[in-house]
Amino acid sequence: MQCRLKILIVLLIFLICAFIFFLNVNDFYADNNGNKINLKIEPEYSNYLFAQRIWLKVTLTNNSDLDYFIKENFDAVGIHFDITTPNRTKLYNHVIVDSEIFDSIKLSPNQIYENVFPIDNYINSLNNVKGVYDIQAIFQNIISNTISIDIERPEGDDRTQYLLFQNFITARDFQKSSENDFKDIEEFLKQYPYSVYAPDLYDQLLIARLMSGKTNNVENTVINFFNSYADSYESKFIVNLYFSYLTKKGYSNAEAISKLKEIGNIYKNSKSDYTINNFIKKLKE
């Protein structure tokens, strides 16, 4: 009888310990409500037009006393998004790929890890649906806050720009692009310098020049972008393309990084400065 009682007591203690451990694990991997590992998403803007690139800034903060390890890609592949459309249907970008990175990244207590990337590929397929979209992110079982963005149909002059933009990015072979193709885009950028589609078109223009091998005006394209859109997350793509161009031209990584830092110093505290510093940081990881 005493032996059976001891067994029951041991079993009870085991169950209590297991329950406490389960609570602690769940508490440690809590979302922002638990305030241990916090995942936050912020849109670049709150209002968009159809086909406009939608950038998100995603921040992971370790508010715990333990190290946290990022084991999957912290980008549009590794982070899952639940998107609710204006008609309240659900979109998911849960890409079925192995997104595990080669070496996990350690996030020490009180340390943050950030990235910016576009997610419009998951939304702009619904170009005929205007209204408010609700977006939530999930990363390694951590759930983010929910954000809302309003996407509207372009009207008037915006519609003219939208149709021209759509023409530029469809039915185009970048490798066969001619100077006339480049001039079309450059004319658009001159005529509509404040178009919501302009930052994306600078990216397309730079890609076209690099892929076609017609790189004479790459430097001017980069300078013009930063002069007009230094405070745009599109700078992330421009920075990547420009770094690749410089290294292929013969610059060492250190020399190319130095060129990027010069741009960052000119546009201090801008989104370009942020994307440049983030790019350099990730190069060293």
Side-chain angles (χ1 to χ4, degrees):
M1 186 69 179
Q2 286 184 344
C3 182
R4 184 177 298 177
L5 183 60
K6 287 181 181 179
I7 293 173
L8 287 174
I9 291 171
V10 170
L11 182 60
L12 182 61
I13 291 172
F14 173 79
L15 290 173
I16 292 171
C17 290
F19 180 69
I20 292 171
F21 175 78
F22 176 77
L23 286 178
N24 287 338
V25 168
N26 276 341
D27 183 51
F28 177 71
Y29 289 107
D31 62 6
N32 47 315
N33 293 324
N35 208 32
K36 294 296 183 181
I37 306 297
N38 181 274
L39 182 65
K40 181 181 180 182
I41 58 175
E42 302 171 78
E44 184 171 20
Y45 309 112
S46 56
N47 296 286
Y48 294 85
L49 296 179
F50 287 161
Q52 182 180 356
R53 186 162 278 167
I54 302 166
W55 286 86
L56 286 187
K57 180 180 181 182
V58 186
T59 305
L60 192 67
T61 306
N62 184 359
N63 293 315
S64 75
D65 297 325
L66 303 173
D67 291 335
Y68 180 79
F69 291 90
I70 298 172
K71 299 178 182 179
E72 297 179 4
N73 289 315
F74 199 64
D75 55 23
V77 174
I79 300 174
H80 295 167
F81 291 96
D82 288 352
I83 302 168
T84 305
T85 68
N87 56 19
R88 312 324 290 167
T89 58
K90 291 279 189 178
L91 297 175
Y92 302 97
N93 79 314
H94 296 201
V95 184
I96 305 175
V97 296
D98 182 6
S99 66
E100 188 167 315
I101 56 180
F102 182 73
D103 286 321
S104 59
I105 299 169
K106 184 174 79 171
L107 206 61
S108 301
N110 301 315
Q111 189 177 1
I112 66 171
Y113 194 82
E114 297 178 333
N115 200 2
V116 293
F117 47 82
I119 63 162
D120 46 289
N121 287 342
Y122 305 119
I123 293 178
N124 280 337
S125 59
L126 301 176
N127 272 349
N128 59 338
V129 181
K130 68 175 186 175
V132 176
Y133 290 75
D134 297 326
I135 305 170
Q136 189 174 55
I138 303 98
F139 180 73
Q140 295 185 174
N141 297 323
I142 311 300
I143 301 172
S144 78
N145 57 308
T146 300
I147 61 170
S148 297
I149 60 172
D150 191 3
I151 302 180
E152 293 296 326
R153 184 179 291 109
E155 303 290 349
D157 204 29
D158 285 334
R159 178 167 173 76
T160 302
Q161 297 169 40
Y162 166 73
L163 293 174
L164 286 170
F165 174 73
Q166 290 290 80
N167 181 59
F168 287 141
I169 63 173
T170 56
R172 180 182 292 273
D173 187 342
F174 285 136
Q175 290 182 326
K176 296 179 181 179
S177 294
S178 66
E179 283 300 324
N180 285 334
D181 293 324
F182 301 150
K183 287 177 182 177
D184 289 344
I185 297 177
E186 287 170 343
E187 282 302 317
F188 178 98
L189 294 171
K190 287 178 183 177
Q191 188 173 355
Y192 304 108
Y194 303 108
S195 171
V196 298
Y197 305 110
D200 196 347
L201 276 180
Y202 270 106
D203 178 40
Q204 302 296 331
L205 180 59
L206 197 52
I207 290 172
R209 289 196 179 282
L210 294 174
M211 290 187 68
S212 66
K214 300 177 177 69
T215 58
N216 291 340
N217 289 315
V218 164
E219 295 280 352
N220 285 338
T221 301
V222 171
I223 290 169
N224 288 339
F225 170 83
F226 285 111
N227 283 341
S228 301
Y229 295 100
D231 206 31
S232 166
Y233 282 142
E234 194 73 31
S235 57
K236 177 178 180 177
F237 284 168
I238 303 299
V239 166
N240 276 269
L241 290 168
Y242 188 45
F243 182 84
S244 176
Y245 162 76
L246 290 172
T247 52
K248 286 180 180 178
K249 197 177 176 182
Y251 284 77
S252 67
N253 278 13
E255 289 170 332
I257 286 172
S258 179
K259 293 271 284 184
L260 293 179
K261 284 182 176 179
E262 287 176 13
I263 296 171
N265 288 333
I266 294 171
Y267 303 102
K268 207 71 178 170
N269 300 319
S270 68
K271 290 174 184 172
S272 291
D273 186 31
Y274 169 81
T275 57
I276 287 169
N277 288 329
N278 220 26
F279 176 80
I280 293 171
K281 178 183 175 182
K282 283 177 171 49
L283 273 180
K284 297 177 180 178
E285 286 178 350

